[in-house]
Amino acid sequence: METPRKLDIATLVRDVHEDWRNFVAAEVNDHVLRVSVLRGDYHWHVHTKSDEVFYVVQGTLCVDFEDLTEELRPGQIIMVPKGVRHRTRGAQAEGGTVALCFEAADNDVLGDDPALGAAVSAP
């Protein structure tokens, strides 16, 4: 049996200085909890395998859809259904935006970033 461990989000993101960083903090059955640090825009994309849920910890997170933008503040959650094209935008201010993302471990990303090409595993 694995021993439970406590995670501190502030400690996990303290040394993240990239404009975009996304990493797995915990695994739950066939899903993951990712910690995302965002400063500026992420590209338009879609997930074909799994819905995803964002929970904002710090800053503001804008989630753009084809016909709508939702702005989330700390303590707010949004669920993006699989197959819905979207992009996220984080705060440019010091510290950027910190969000938790819940999704299937094998979720894919198909998007406008040429580096992605065809659907690939989420980083």
Side-chain angles (χ1 to χ4, degrees):
M1 174 183 231
E2 187 176 335
T3 303
R5 62 186 174 106
K6 176 175 67 174
L7 299 174
D8 183 87
I9 301 302
T11 300
L12 291 174
V13 302
R14 178 178 43 217
D15 296 325
V16 174
H17 302 290
E18 299 95 335
D19 285 343
W20 184 83
R21 177 90 190 279
N22 189 8
F23 56 92
V24 174
E27 296 179 25
V28 180
N29 301 318
D30 59 348
H31 284 67
V32 293
L33 167 64
R34 296 183 193 278
V35 177
S36 295
V37 178
L38 306 96
R39 293 177 187 86
D41 301 354
Y42 191 62
H43 61 86
W44 285 95
H45 63 283
V46 64
H47 303 279
T48 63
K49 293 184 178 182
S50 173
D51 302 334
E52 63 182 338
V53 173
F54 291 99
Y55 173 79
V56 178
V57 175
Q58 170 187 306
T60 58
L61 177 69
C62 290
V63 183
D64 296 324
F65 300 98
E66 296 287 342
D67 59 350
L68 170 73
T69 296
E70 291 286 0
E71 183 175 316
L72 288 82
R73 300 198 178 283
Q76 295 183 318
I77 294 173
I78 192 166
M79 194 277 289
V80 179
K82 71 178 179 180
V84 173
R85 188 171 185 261
H86 63 286
R87 73 172 176 176
T88 52
R89 294 184 288 124
Q92 292 284 8
E94 183 66 30
T97 296
V98 176
L100 304 180
C101 178
F102 303 89
E103 63 186 353
D106 68 346
N107 202 4
D108 61 352
V109 178
L110 181 60
D112 295 347
D113 183 345
L116 290 177
V120 297
S121 297

